[in-house]
Amino acid sequence: MINALRERDDAHTLLAAGTERALRGVGGLVLLRGATGTGRTAVLEAAAAHAVERGVCVLRARCSPEDDGMPLSTVGRLLGHVPEYAGMPSSDYHRRAARLWELLRSLAARSPLLLAVDDVHLADRSSRRWLAEAAGHLDRMPVLVVATERSQYDIEPQPAGLTHALSASFVRTHTLAPLTDGASAEMLGALLPGADPEWTAECVRASAGHPLLLLALLDDLRGTPPLPLPDSCAALYPGAYPAAVAWWLDSAGTATADVARALAALEEVGTPDPGDDPPALLAEATGADPARVAGWLTAMTRLGLLRLGPDGQPRYAHPLLRDAVLTGWPTPRRQEVHRAAAEALLSRGGRVEAVARHLLRAPVVGKPWALRVLRDAVTVAVDGARADDAVAYLRRALDEPLSDARRQRLLTELGSLEYHSADAGAAISRLAEALHLEGDPRDRVHTAIALGTALAGQGEVRTAMGMLRRTEAGLSEHPGLARTVQTATAILSDQDQVQRQEAYGWLGETAARSPELVGTAGQALLVRYAATAGLVSAQDAMKQVHALLAVPADPSAEPFLLGTAAAVAQWADELDEAERLVERGLALQSCSLLHPMHRALVNTRADIAAARGDQAALLAAAADPRRIPADAGPGNIDAHVLMALVHADRTDEAQRLAAGFDLRRAPDSWELNRFLYARGVLRAAVGDSAGALHDWLECGRRQLAREVVSPVVTPWRTAVAECGPGPGAGEAVELAEEELRLAEVWNTPRTVGRALRVLGTVTGGRRGLELAGEAVRILRGATADTDMELIPALLAQGRQLMGAGERSRARDCLREAAERAERKGAVRFHALAARALREGGARHHSSSRTGSAALTASERRVAELAADGRTNAEIAGLLHLARRTVETHLTHAYRKLRIRRRSELTGALGKRGEEA
């Protein structure tokens, strides 16, 4: 019997039956058709072996493209040497055919025959004619002819097959389909026992049901099966698999190979857009007939070489197969396909990034549309917080022909984005190159400010200052731009105490003589300086800020003015106005350009969220991929996140965050001081009083060296005082009194209330109780959201009332503190209030409810959309909300549902009821 190959039983049965008929004197023609690599030859060899076992004489001929040079050469090789051909004209088909027929009859008279003709589609035309003519006479002879024929859809239509003009009664045709995944896996298991199932599944996909490819792949993977299967043919040796794929492409013809390789090249770019038409795109990229391309894609999908992706578009069954298709294809040809695809997509209105992705792999186009597409793609990528993609588009744009002015703008943007991506060295090189190009003075200022920001961020503050001063000196004919550079110099000097003193000293002296020489942005910086130095009240500072905002400002200086005004407004507890100023300032900023005020505005936004106790917004800001990295040290947002984690009683996470920074490498700046203050809060929360005192005192020392004495930024004095030995300690009282004096200069409820609360705690007694009550009264009367100061003030008042024996009033204070803490998500404050209530003999019952019934309508709507798999950005768009609002609603929902992860939302919304 035939040695059965998998899923070839029908073919074997058909051939075995034909052999038995031939033994009885009734021959015929069997045609085995199939695509390249489906095992036609293996089935033919199995049939020949079976025939030999049955006593049938087997004659073989394997056809090749060279056979077409001599008429009837295939049949001549099949039947043996024909001496009568000598001297016979090659054009005399009929005489030659008759001689061959006589030879066949004589051979058949001796023994039943099986004529095995492999790849008959490659035989010479006269041999195919002879075989077709013979088919009508074989039923009276003991001769079975079995021929294999390639049957595959190609871009260039192939000649008619062997039997296209024969009656079905003269020929039996059987088509070999690719193996199913199960059969391929069984075949592989038999050849390589013990193979990992996951690895086996990958091999099956890479072979696409074609035994040829599977056996070639196994030749390259002899030994221990690697897991996972490599995606590149470079990892295969000796290269049987890519050679088999190359043979498959060669057999399909040049046009089909070009389309197959173009598909592989286009697939490398990524998932096509939903509106793309792959057949049309491939046709335009290769010059092929679109209808034939569409048919080829359908045929290859049926054959398993392509599989439909989630979007319904055909793709190669495995990356290794795709790479093998591309192996050996010349780079220029591949690049031209991408260029043609880019132009075709553009003409059909494709998405700008889809076009740009092809341009990344295309040669220089040299036409305006290419640069326009790449620039638009940069904008889209930046808006989508994909800085790496934007960098790639800009680098490619620089290959196109550019004027110096345009190259300067592109280099400035590229350097800025590379800095965002933490590639500071490359960023500084790009920006320095841009600064040396001739361009518009305004563009030169943008470049200088970006370079100065990058240098200062790397600790090269003096280098940055020198470069900015040289830039300023070259702007004598542009006084507005010169003032902008002066302002940038002052802002960046914050990272070096000596430079800061020089910059602000010059600003102050010049503003006293001629305010117009420093401009509105410079004057705003002096207001900010006075606020931190404890020289002005919040009310007076805001009056000055409002007056400066009313003066028309140079566009290049406006971000500095708005950013500085926003910081002062936030310190003054004008949180809504500060937020409006931040949004205005960010709207003027291109987040793809490096600018010191972008970071300043983002920092102020975080300060506003912290003042409001919006922990969700702070944690979201830390995860924002558009945030500029904090260089060698921690930033302001890191400090806020640290404190937010402490408030949420997630001190383990906070400690891991703090441990991730080496403060010895951090540049000297107010952001480092803010982080020291925040780390002190963390250390105090975990009981490390000595560590907390060290951090707060170091923060204070650094701030005083910078002439920052006001508690509006880092209230380190009250932190040290509160961490002291207890009520009545002289040094603690002195520190608290000094902070109260400075707070009363600034005179906002937040700063004064905090100072009063701590002074009351360290003073103790009846006077301490009065101070605590005054702190609560002032904080309650604030127009801004001061809950994050009011909660500890209520805790302090409650504890002191409890100590004075006024238990009923104490419980009221502590319950209010607990309720406010729960609303803010301040878990630690809530726990402290609950503990104080227990120590006072009371049990705290939260008036709020938990469980799904406790959600507000807005929280439920947002939570349900999140449970359905929507992203925060999608939810914001659907409900017309700010993304931060969505994040806040989700945070509140998590707390009420008592869950920690988004994946838990579905169960929590559907199963949890109300809990008291």
Side-chain angles (χ1 to χ4, degrees):
M1 292 295 295
I2 293 177
N3 293 322
L5 299 175
R6 283 163 182 79
E7 297 185 332
R8 298 295 183 252
D9 290 347
D10 289 347
H12 297 320
T13 300
L14 174 65
L15 293 171
T19 301
E20 296 303 318
R21 284 196 300 272
L23 286 168
R24 295 195 300 269
V26 181
L29 170 63
V30 176
L31 183 64
L32 294 176
R33 307 178 76 221
T36 301
T38 50
R40 300 187 311 266
T41 300
V43 174
L44 180 62
E45 290 299 323
H50 171 66
V52 170
E53 290 178 3
R54 297 289 294 137
V56 175
C57 178
V58 176
L59 303 178
R60 294 179 174 86
R62 177 162 294 171
C63 307
S64 71
E66 289 75 24
D67 287 352
D68 212 27
M70 175 68 71
L72 292 168
S73 62
T74 298
V75 181
R77 285 204 316 275
L78 180 68
L79 299 179
H81 181 63
V82 183
E84 292 86 347
Y85 278 2
M88 186 180 295
S90 61
S91 60
D92 194 345
Y93 168 78
H94 293 289
R95 289 178 62 192
R96 287 173 175 266
R99 295 284 192 276
L100 289 168
W101 182 252
E102 292 172 4
L103 179 58
L104 176 63
R105 290 175 65 87
S106 66
L107 292 172
R110 301 175 199 166
S111 168
L113 299 177
L114 187 148
L115 306 184
V117 185
D118 200 10
D119 289 339
V120 72
H121 55 283
L122 298 177
D124 61 280
R125 284 179 295 176
S126 55
S127 290
R128 292 200 299 271
R129 176 181 172 183
W130 188 92
L131 290 168
E133 290 173 350
H137 306 286
L138 295 176
D139 59 341
R140 296 185 298 275
M141 299 173 63
V143 177
L144 174 64
V145 177
V146 182
T148 67
E149 183 177 72
R150 180 180 178 276
S151 175
Q152 188 167 305
Y153 191 99
D154 294 321
I155 299 300
E156 290 181 345
Q158 297 301 308
L162 174 66
T163 62
H164 78 285
L166 283 180
S167 168
S169 61
F170 294 150
V171 62
R172 289 180 175 83
T173 301
H174 182 82
T175 300
L176 300 176
L179 301 178
T180 63
D181 288 355
S184 295
E186 289 177 7
M187 182 177 173
L188 192 148
L191 294 169
L192 197 64
D196 180 88
E198 183 179 346
W199 182 84
T200 297
E202 278 210 85
C203 287
V204 167
R205 282 174 45 225
S207 66
H210 289 60
L212 167 74
L213 298 183
L214 182 58
L215 294 172
L217 181 61
L218 288 179
D219 280 345
D220 289 338
L221 298 175
R222 291 298 181 190
T224 304
L227 183 68
L229 197 67
D231 289 346
S232 169
C233 291
L236 299 179
Y237 182 80
Y241 179 80
V245 173
W247 182 72
W248 167 68
L249 290 171
D250 289 343
S251 69
T254 303
T256 300
D258 280 349
V259 170
R261 286 169 170 143
L263 175 63
L266 300 184
E267 193 178 307
E268 282 186 313
V269 169
T271 304
D273 292 333
D276 281 356
D277 182 358
L281 186 59
L282 277 172
E284 291 189 56
T286 60
D289 179 356
R292 298 294 299 181
V293 171
W296 182 82
L297 290 172
T298 301
M300 294 305 102
T301 303
R302 289 288 301 274
L303 289 174
L305 293 160
L306 304 180
R307 297 194 180 191
L308 297 181
D311 57 356
Q313 302 290 2
R315 293 183 181 81
Y316 281 98
H318 192 277
L320 184 63
L321 177 57
R322 181 184 68 220
D323 187 68
V325 169
L326 286 172
T327 297
W329 203 29
T331 298
R333 181 71 186 107
R334 189 186 307 194
Q335 290 178 331
E336 283 303 322
V337 163
H338 283 294
R339 184 190 186 284
E343 200 157 7
L345 275 175
L346 182 66
S347 67
R348 290 167 34 223
R351 283 194 318 113
V352 67
E353 277 203 276
V355 181
R357 284 197 296 268
H358 287 292
L359 287 177
L360 291 178
R361 293 172 166 82
V364 173
V365 175
K367 294 183 179 179
W369 67 263
L371 187 60
R372 184 179 68 252
V373 164
L374 290 165
R375 287 293 297 111
D376 290 346
V378 170
T379 301
V380 173
V382 168
D383 289 345
R386 289 178 286 104
D388 289 345
D389 288 345
V391 165
Y393 299 141
L394 281 168
R395 287 174 178 168
R396 173 62 183 81
L398 288 170
D399 293 337
E400 294 293 321
L402 298 167
S403 65
D404 279 357
R406 176 163 282 185
R407 184 172 294 277
Q408 182 183 65
R409 290 194 291 272
L410 291 180
L411 283 169
T412 300
E413 191 169 4
L414 176 56
S416 299
L417 287 170
E418 286 175 331
Y419 192 85
H420 285 222
S421 302
D423 192 355
I428 290 171
S429 296
R430 302 277 190 190
L431 294 167
E433 180 185 351
L435 195 61
H436 286 91
L437 294 173
E438 291 296 328
D440 182 83
R442 193 171 297 276
D443 290 334
R444 181 174 175 79
V445 167
H446 289 161
T447 302
I449 290 174
L451 179 56
T453 305
L455 288 168
Q458 295 302 298
E460 299 288 339
V461 181
R462 298 194 177 195
T463 303
M465 299 296 102
M467 180 274 300
L468 287 170
R469 290 187 179 111
R470 289 192 298 274
T471 302
E472 179 191 342
L475 295 168
S476 56
E477 297 181 5
H478 304 276
L481 294 176
R483 286 195 293 271
T484 298
V485 176
Q486 292 167 6
T487 306
T489 303
I491 288 287
L492 294 174
S493 72
D494 276 343
Q495 299 187 40
D496 184 284
Q497 290 184 22
V498 174
Q499 296 293 322
R500 184 176 189 272
Q501 289 173 351
E502 291 180 5
Y504 279 93
W506 181 89
L507 271 179
E509 293 172 5
T510 305
R513 297 192 313 269
S514 305
E516 69 281 358
L517 292 181
V518 300
T520 53
Q523 293 176 62
L525 282 180
L526 290 172
V527 174
R528 190 188 72 166
Y529 179 87
T532 59
L535 302 175
V536 66
S537 68
Q539 184 178 12
D540 288 343
M542 287 307 298
K543 282 182 181 178
Q544 295 179 57
V545 163
H546 287 145
L548 293 170
L549 288 170
V551 177
D554 184 277
S556 63
E558 193 170 4
F560 292 100
L561 175 59
L562 292 172
T564 305
V568 174
Q570 184 270 317
W571 293 336
D573 273 348
E574 301 288 345
L575 300 184
D576 291 341
E577 181 170 2
E579 191 166 40
R580 286 193 295 272
L581 290 167
V582 166
E583 297 310 318
R584 277 181 59 193
L586 289 174
L588 294 175
Q589 292 275 298
S590 168
C591 53
S592 63
L593 289 179
L594 193 58
H595 195 286
M597 292 319 293
H598 179 79
R599 182 163 176 166
L601 288 161
V602 171
N603 278 333
T604 300
R605 186 162 61 187
D607 294 341
I608 295 167
R612 288 173 171 160
D614 190 348
Q615 317 301 333
L618 292 171
L619 295 174
D624 188 345
R626 290 170 293 188
R627 182 165 71 98
I628 300 175
D631 308 316
N636 180 55
I637 291 178
D638 299 304
H640 281 308
V641 170
L642 202 61
M643 289 188 282
L645 290 171
V646 172
H647 289 315
D649 205 23
R650 292 157 60 182
T651 52
D652 288 345
E653 293 176 56
Q655 286 179 307
R656 286 196 294 272
L657 173 63
F661 294 103
D662 182 358
L663 300 192
R664 295 170 299 181
R665 297 176 54 243
D668 179 26
S669 72
W670 69 269
E671 293 192 63
L672 171 60
N673 300 343
R674 173 67 66 82
F675 189 82
L676 282 168
Y677 176 83
R679 193 174 70 174
V681 172
L682 167 63
R683 286 176 163 176
V686 297
D688 182 7
S689 298
L693 281 172
H694 173 272
D695 281 345
W696 287 326
L697 289 171
E698 178 63 13
C699 169
R701 183 189 69 77
R702 289 171 172 270
Q703 291 289 67
L704 291 175
R706 300 168 64 82
E707 299 179 333
V708 177
V709 299
S710 175
V712 295
V713 181
T714 47
W716 60 273
R717 295 177 185 83
T718 48
V720 172
E722 202 169 14
C723 195
E731 187 177 352
V733 171
E734 288 178 10
L735 281 170
E737 286 177 339
E738 183 180 3
E739 182 144 313
L740 177 59
R741 178 183 62 78
L742 293 166
E744 287 174 336
V745 172
W746 186 243
N747 201 27
T748 58
R750 192 183 307 276
T751 53
V752 173
R754 175 188 171 86
L756 284 169
R757 184 254 300 172
V758 175
L759 182 58
T761 298
V762 299
T763 299
R766 179 57 56 183
R767 175 58 180 159
L769 186 56
E770 291 173 358
L771 291 168
E774 181 67 8
V776 169
R777 183 189 65 77
I778 288 175
L779 289 165
R780 272 213 184 100
T783 56
D785 183 345
T786 58
D787 269 6
M788 294 307 289
E789 288 297 344
L790 179 55
I791 293 167
L794 287 166
L795 280 168
Q797 186 184 31
R799 290 192 188 101
Q800 292 192 59
L801 285 169
M802 197 72 75
E806 299 185 42
R807 291 179 175 271
S808 177
R809 286 182 61 200
R811 289 169 185 165
D812 289 342
C813 287
L814 294 172
R815 286 194 178 101
E816 182 183 353
E819 289 164 5
R820 288 179 181 271
E822 189 169 35
R823 285 199 295 271
K824 287 292 183 184
V827 178
R828 183 169 174 272
F829 280 151
H830 184 275
L832 291 172
R835 186 172 68 187
L837 280 165
R838 288 195 301 272
E839 289 172 354
R843 175 178 291 179
H844 166 59
H845 292 282
S846 174
S847 61
S848 66
R849 304 169 75 84
T850 58
S852 61
L855 300 178
T856 65
S858 297
E859 290 165 354
R860 177 174 289 279
R861 190 161 57 247
V862 169
E864 287 173 346
L865 287 170
D868 288 340
R870 303 278 190 174
T871 65
N872 289 359
E874 289 172 338
I875 296 170
L878 287 169
L879 301 181
H880 304 290
L881 298 173
R883 185 169 176 172
R884 191 184 67 185
T885 304
V886 171
E887 291 157 353
T888 300
H889 284 327
L890 280 175
T891 298
H892 293 167
Y894 287 0
R895 185 170 64 252
K896 291 178 180 179
L897 295 171
R898 296 181 179 176
I899 62 175
R900 296 289 294 274
R901 297 179 181 84
R902 204 181 192 96
S903 59
E904 299 176 80
L905 273 171
T906 301
L909 289 169
K911 297 178 182 178
R912 295 194 181 185
E914 284 189 359
E915 301 174 13

